[in-house]
Amino acid sequence: MTTRSILVASPREAHRAVSELFQQEIKPHTSKGAAGRLIWQTVNDYHRHQLRKLFHGPVLRDIAFQIWVPDPYTGCRVRYVPLVWKRHFAELFIEPDFEEYTTRDGEIKVREKRRSTESLSDDDFAEFLLQVLAYAVIEWSVVFTEHDHEQ
């Protein structure tokens, strides 16, 4: 009897793990007639959701509402929407990741992947969120408002 346990913390990790499990374990055994059991067990079901809800909700909302930046073309003060701030913070605080690709000529090149909060583990995302909060407070004097959260 073979038992395999894989800890996943993102949809991408889960997809990769299930694909690997299918190729290496499930397909070879079931093709020979063996039966097996797949079990999904949540370890920390709301941590990821709560962190992302905080970031995409009150944190980005307060930043977008309170920060006025001079427009480079008109000189007028403007505010940016939360999505712009999210991309800005990803560029500031998420380490770059690179991938190789082959051109139509067969040449192998390297390019930087888009920096995404989705690629971060829960621990990395918590650190990213702390960096965003500190940056907003120190650099822009953002005051984060308290929100009543219904459970």
Side-chain angles (χ1 to χ4, degrees), residues 6 12 17 32 44 49 63 67 71 85 88 91 93 95 102 110 116 118-119 121 128 131 138 141 146:
I6 304 168
R12 284 192 180 127
K32 295 175 185 171
N44 186 357
H49 176 71
I63 290 169
I67 298 177
D71 182 276
W85 284 108
H88 175 67
E91 289 296 316
F93 300 120
E95 292 293 322
T102 306
V110 176
S116 170
E118 190 62 33
S119 65
S121 68
F128 168 78
Q131 289 173 316
I138 293 168
S141 302
E146 291 187 31

Side-chain angles (χ1 to χ4, degrees), residues 98-115:
F98 299 91
E99 66 183 351
E100 287 186 355
Y101 69 99
T102 306
T103 65
R104 291 183 180 172
D105 306 348
E107 184 180 354
I108 297 175
K109 291 191 173 187
V110 176
R111 65 179 161 213
E112 184 178 344
K113 291 181 178 181
R114 182 171 179 209
R115 298 178 196 193

Side-chain angles (χ1 to χ4, degrees), residues 7-56:
L7 181 63
V8 296
S10 74
R12 284 192 180 127
E13 288 177 2
H15 184 266
R16 183 176 41 237
V18 169
S19 296
E20 181 181 301
L21 185 64
F22 176 76
Q23 290 297 325
Q24 295 177 2
E25 301 287 338
I26 298 169
K27 188 177 179 182
H29 291 292
T30 56
S31 66
K32 295 175 185 171
R37 178 181 303 149
L38 296 175
I39 299 172
W40 166 256
Q41 178 182 9
T42 57
V43 179
N44 186 357
D45 43 359
Y46 294 110
H47 186 65
R48 179 178 198 80
H49 176 71
Q50 295 300 339
L51 283 173
R52 290 171 192 284
K53 192 167 117 180
L54 174 65
F55 177 64
H56 291 96

